[in-house]
Amino acid sequence: MQTLRHSEQTLKTALISKNPVLVSQYEKLDVGEQRLMNEAFQPATELFGPITLHSQSDWITTHPEAPQDFEQFFSDPYRKTPSPEKRSIYIQPIGSLGNTRIISEEYVKWLKGYCEAFFYGLTVKLLEPIPVSATRCSFRVNDNTQNLQIHAGHILNFLKRKKPEDAFCVVGITMIDLYPRDSWNFVFGQASLTDGVGIFSFARYGSDFYSSYYGGKVKKLQKKSSSDYSVFDNYYIPEITSVLLLRSCKTLTHEIGHIFGLRHCQWLTCLMQGSNHLEEADRRPLNLCPICLRKLQCAIGFNIVERYKALVRWIDDDSADTPGVTPKNSRADNVNLPKPVEAFKEWKEWIIKCLAVLQK
């Protein structure tokens, strides 16, 4: 195992910059916000640790990238920033997300509430769920897993055509595995920063994805043309566990972070670290390091205390929508399923420590 440690000065420069304009901008932040972000370069900090590499297959080893500090983010001419007219994140469910309609609807609402707290200050809206057939995408059976896969690039084109006028971005979510091109095995997600669209699959986050659960479906597909989408009818969906919800929230916010212009983080343990495999993705925390937090705050303009409080509310609140007090859906068939947040408890404790530093 290898630990990537940067010097205090390197981290301080990555966070604050040496550009007098950006230094002045930093000094105008709330004193508590500066105190929290300064934890980035405090050797004794318990809040933000160095990145550890566990194997040669980890992301940083296999995908060498130039690190992006705050100044590079701020100066990037291609990054997208929400405008007064475009301050909405849209979520487009594709295919079934739960074993019943009720579970599917609740799961999407949990994701919506989480995104609304994470990207505090923006509105998150749900588009009506659509079947795979509506996208007219190509699909195939993966040779390794024998599971169905849908073409990520074709879905991005569909989302681009469907993007609402007030959208900062629109992201598709699905429980069906993705592939970006015929030569690739799979991809967790794919996004177009210039078009403000993304598609992300949570299929591999189910505990039995790699089992031979789909054998019958595979035989059925091989006898049909690739334009017959009936193969997706009653397609198996993983159980919505607390771990699957946590992994889904992590992937969704990481990938939307890219649409804001945040590149993979190489400074400290951070949500924006890259990951090559599920084990590495699970090691990645739910939180942003101070450098990436400053980037997102610069893009959206939120108060960090209010954002953290909204995230705690989402964890504590049994109802689907957070932040703010939202009336529960009064539909007769709404069973108001309890949100499975057991896996988020450790992160809640971390947020409370951050709030203590912010409000000291």
Side-chain angles (χ1 to χ4, degrees):
M1 191 167 73
Q2 180 187 355
T3 302
L4 299 181
R5 291 190 187 277
H6 299 283
S7 70
E8 292 174 45
Q9 189 56 53
T10 297
L11 291 169
K12 188 173 183 178
T13 303
L15 171 67
I16 301 173
S17 169
K18 291 185 176 178
N19 180 321
V21 174
L22 298 184
V23 171
S24 174
Q25 185 189 96
Y26 187 78
E27 290 171 347
K28 289 175 183 173
L29 291 175
D30 174 85
V31 174
E33 293 185 340
Q34 288 185 55
R35 187 164 52 238
L36 177 71
M37 291 195 192
N38 287 348
E39 288 281 319
F41 51 86
Q42 303 299 330
T45 183
E46 296 179 359
L47 295 175
F48 306 101
I51 295 172
T52 55
L53 302 179
H54 289 242
S55 74
Q56 289 301 307
S57 64
D58 282 3
W59 180 272
I60 288 179
T61 307
T62 57
H63 295 81
E65 298 174 75
Q68 181 197 49
D69 60 22
F70 177 77
E71 184 174 342
Q72 289 167 320
F73 168 83
F74 186 83
S75 307
D76 184 353
Y78 300 107
R79 73 177 175 92
K80 299 282 185 190
T81 302
S83 65
E85 301 80 29
K86 295 181 183 292
R87 291 188 68 82
S88 295
I89 295 171
Y90 281 86
I91 297 176
Q92 173 65 77
I94 299 172
S96 296
L97 297 173
N99 283 323
T100 69
R101 182 174 59 82
I102 297 298
I103 293 172
S104 214
E105 289 177 359
E106 290 292 293
Y107 173 63
V108 174
K109 287 177 185 175
W110 294 333
L111 293 176
K112 171 187 180 292
Y114 184 81
C115 280
E116 213 148 44
F118 193 93
F119 300 104
Y120 191 77
L122 298 188
T123 303
V124 180
K125 300 178 180 178
L126 299 178
L127 294 168
E128 283 296 315
I130 57 169
V132 176
S133 58
T135 69
R136 310 311 298 171
C137 67
S138 296
F139 58 93
R140 71 179 188 185
V141 172
N142 181 286
D143 290 336
N144 297 314
T145 66
Q146 296 298 299
N147 290 333
L148 287 169
Q149 293 182 301
I150 52 180
H151 194 291
H154 295 173
I155 296 174
L156 290 182
N157 290 335
F158 168 81
L159 295 173
K160 182 180 173 183
R161 293 193 300 271
K162 196 179 175 182
K163 189 177 177 184
E165 283 294 315
D166 66 336
F168 169 70
C169 65
V170 55
V171 293
I173 57 173
T174 185
M175 286 295 185
I176 304 164
D177 204 26
L178 299 172
Y179 71 104
R181 56 180 70 95
D182 290 343
S183 59
W184 278 51
N185 180 24
F186 81 99
V187 68
F188 282 117
Q190 192 172 358
S192 168
L193 278 57
T194 51
D195 296 324
V197 294
I199 173 66
F200 318 118
S201 169
F202 307 137
R204 290 177 182 248
Y205 296 158
S207 58
D208 48 6
F209 174 81
Y210 294 97
S211 70
S212 56
Y213 205 98
Y214 311 116
K217 286 290 182 187
V218 172
K219 291 173 186 173
K220 181 180 177 184
L221 177 63
Q222 287 169 347
K223 297 174 185 176
K224 289 174 171 280
S225 73
S226 61
S227 61
D228 186 342
Y229 294 92
S230 65
V231 71
F232 293 100
D233 294 345
N234 302 312
Y235 192 56
Y236 173 76
I237 304 296
E239 181 187 356
I240 307 298
T241 63
S242 186
V243 170
L244 188 140
L245 180 61
L246 182 142
R247 288 169 170 170
S248 304
C249 289
K250 198 183 282 188
T251 295
L252 195 54
T253 49
H254 173 100
E255 298 296 350
I256 294 174
H258 282 319
I259 296 176
F260 277 92
L262 278 73
R263 293 190 214 147
H264 285 125
C265 183
Q266 300 182 53
W267 303 111
L268 297 160
T269 52
C270 179
L271 172 80
M272 293 309 298
Q273 287 171 240
S275 64
N276 262 351
H277 44 82
L278 187 56
E279 181 188 345
E280 188 177 18
D282 281 344
R283 290 198 302 267
R284 187 172 61 189
L286 284 157
N287 60 277
L288 297 170
C289 75
I291 297 160
C292 292
L293 180 61
R294 187 183 179 196
K295 294 173 187 176
L296 191 64
Q297 185 193 39
C298 171
I300 299 176
F302 50 69
N303 175 286
I304 295 175
V305 169
E306 294 307 315
R307 175 179 176 270
Y308 279 153
K309 285 181 177 178
L311 286 164
V312 170
R313 277 200 303 275
W314 180 86
I315 296 169
D316 287 344
D317 190 0
D318 282 340
S319 64
D321 291 297
T322 312
V325 180
T326 307
K328 289 183 172 62
N329 194 332
S330 59
R331 260 187 3 211
D333 61 353
N334 185 3
V335 293
N336 192 32
L337 296 170
K339 194 192 304 171
V341 292
E342 299 80 22
F344 294 83
K345 296 302 183 186
E346 190 177 322
W347 190 46
K348 177 187 170 182
E349 292 170 7
W350 180 89
I351 295 173
I352 290 169
K353 289 179 183 176
C354 290
L355 285 168
V357 172
L358 284 157
Q359 299 173 308
K360 187 156 58 177

